[in-house]
Amino acid sequence: MHTLDDIKDLLQSCENEDDFARLQARALETTLQHVGPEIHFRGLIEFSNVCSRDCFYCGIRKSNKKIQRYSLSQEEIVELAKWSAQEGYGSIALQSGERCDPVFVDFVIEVLRQIKSETRSELLPDGLGITLCVGEQTKETYQRFFDAGAHRYLLRIETTSPSLFAQIHPTEQHLHTRLRSLEFLKEIGYQVGTGVMIGLPGQTYEDLARDVLFFRDIDIDMIGMGPYLSHHDTPMSRYAEENNRNRLLIFRKSLAMIAATRIVCPKINIAATTALQTIDPAGRIDGLRFGANVLMPQTTPPGFRRNYLLYEGKPGLDENALETRLNLERQIESIGRYVSKNKWGDSLRFHEKHPQSPDSPSGK
Ligand code: 5AD
């Protein structure tokens, strides 16, 4: 059983070349042993940047009047989903700003139903696997999304430090409501994902080590996490200089967080996020080398990508979805791994916990 100090040590190894190389080797070995060389793709559909929240770090926060708000239509989203299925992705991630009004909730439900019914095929008898990522909702809403076909849900905790959480969110947002939401999702039967931002102002190695212990203690199924990158139209832009100065260290800390999480929770799915690639063009591939096994290539049409900037410098704004995929596949093959095709790519940890849950014939 890893202690807080063990994890702190793992994380701190990002400050020394030899220790960092050893951490990478250990994380990669653990990955290959427990989840294998396969990488699972999820076609990422950022279907709307309309948001009712005002998180101090995020570029699509409600108070940012400088961006153009968009919402894809049901037809557009379904087309992107079908494209993902044709490409062999097996799964998609549907992501948007947070809204909980009935019009939005009903819309998402209709979208889920249509995607499930229109992506069934011989290769995917149960249609695409769907990960939903639309923030905090009531338990009833989570249940309705689940019944409509979402079977995985991502809700980042951002940080488990109560003081840090309070510092980066408006007073009406609470750590305990996020925690309760994660509980609801688990009770309903979702594969549940969470994650944190790395390199927040004032965040210590101890804070990050506690985040990893939290992932273990709630027995999480999936993780998506990455560096905090400042955005100029947010209240936290006052830390921009510090954030820019420390980018290299924040990048290495993020890789160390992936590695430590893989070592502590060996059978979960861990995504190498776009934010890593923002700091270094090979960042997502580094994420895979340090223990990640999931990638979420963007399918959002280039015209809309510009308005889904949670942080500055997001890469791939002009690339189309096919180019995005081919680029990634080439890089994955160059590190001796490969991309799974036409499989949901579920969390092995989830199926280990729930051996009775109906296995999809389209593969876990
Ligand atoms: N830098 C890095 N990650 C960010 N997110 C939002 N804003 C930023 C930022 N400036 C992350 C949060 C959120 C997810 C959708 O994107 O963790 O949960």
Side-chain angles (χ1 to χ4, degrees), residues 67-125:
I67 55 168
Q68 211 179 334
R69 301 287 167 173
Y70 73 87
S71 297
L72 299 186
S73 69
Q74 183 164 337
E75 291 67 35
E76 286 168 323
I77 303 171
V78 173
E79 276 315 304
L80 292 173
K82 283 169 136 170
W83 181 86
S84 301
Q86 277 158 21
E87 290 290 294
Y89 281 11
S91 280
I92 54 169
L94 285 176
Q95 191 174 351
S96 75
E98 186 169 315
R99 280 173 61 186
C100 46
D101 53 286
V103 174
F104 176 78
V105 171
D106 290 344
F107 175 79
V108 173
I109 288 170
E110 280 312 307
V111 167
L112 290 168
R113 289 208 183 112
Q114 199 185 345
I115 292 175
K116 288 308 274 189
S117 78
E118 295 198 13
T119 56
R120 281 181 221 282
S121 69
E122 220 165 274
L123 289 170
L124 285 173

Side-chain angles (χ1 to χ4, degrees), residues 247-255 276 279-280 283 286:
R247 280 216 168 168
L248 192 59
L249 181 60
I250 293 176
F251 181 72
R252 291 167 66 107
K253 268 188 202 171
S254 303
L255 295 176
L276 280 173
I279 302 188
D280 185 317
D286 282 334

Side-chain angles (χ1 to χ4, degrees), residues 10 20 37 51 53 55 64-65 82-83 123 125 133 145 170 225 231 249 267 298 301 318 329 334 343 353:
L10 292 177
F20 199 42
C51 192
R53 296 291 198 177
C55 306
N64 184 4
K65 306 287 181 223
K82 283 169 136 170
W83 181 86
L123 289 170
C133 188
F145 290 156
M225 62 186 166
H231 186 293
L249 181 60
K267 286 205 157 29
Q298 263 187 318
D318 296 316
E329 277 185 358
S334 77
K343 278 170 77 174
K353 275 186 290 187

Side-chain angles (χ1 to χ4, degrees), residues 151-313:
H151 82 292
R152 297 185 291 242
Y153 202 101
L154 282 179
L155 180 69
R156 289 193 182 180
I157 195 81
E158 316 299 357
T159 170
T160 57
S161 152
S163 57
L164 206 47
F165 188 96
Q167 224 174 293
I168 63 174
H169 292 105
T171 45
E172 63 272 17
Q173 278 178 255
H174 302 285
L175 185 58
H176 63 85
T177 5
R178 290 255 169 134
L179 290 168
R180 204 180 50 204
S181 292
L182 288 170
E183 278 302 312
F184 289 159
L185 291 162
K186 201 166 166 183
E187 283 163 18
I188 291 168
Y190 281 97
Q191 289 175 43
V192 184
T194 192
V196 296
M197 284 182 290
I198 298 142
L200 290 165
Q203 190 180 40
T204 62
Y205 282 110
E206 179 157 338
D207 291 329
L208 290 169
R210 286 190 197 285
D211 293 340
V212 176
L213 283 180
F214 166 75
F215 303 155
R216 180 191 72 193
D217 293 343
I218 65 164
D219 203 349
I220 203 72
D221 304 304
M222 321 180 291
I223 291 291
M225 62 186 166
Y228 161 65
L229 302 164
S230 78
H231 186 293
H232 55 279
D233 292 318
T234 62
M236 276 168 65
S237 66
R238 65 179 181 277
Y239 300 107
E241 203 202 318
E242 175 193 329
N243 185 251
N244 286 328
R245 197 168 3 98
N246 292 327
R247 280 216 168 168
L248 192 59
L249 181 60
I250 293 176
F251 181 72
R252 291 167 66 107
K253 268 188 202 171
S254 303
L255 295 176
M257 275 295 279
I258 292 179
T261 303
R262 172 60 68 203
I263 289 164
V264 174
C265 312
K267 286 205 157 29
I268 65 172
N269 276 349
I270 304 179
T273 55
T274 318
L276 280 173
Q277 195 186 337
T278 303
I279 302 188
D280 185 317
R284 284 201 284 187
I285 300 299
D286 282 334
L288 301 178
R289 293 175 48 244
F290 277 80
N293 68 326
V294 169
L295 275 184
M296 298 162 64
Q298 263 187 318
T299 70
T300 316
F304 292 106
R305 292 187 189 184
R306 243 163 247 296
N307 291 314
Y308 206 92
L309 297 186
L310 308 182
Y311 43 80
E312 282 161 62

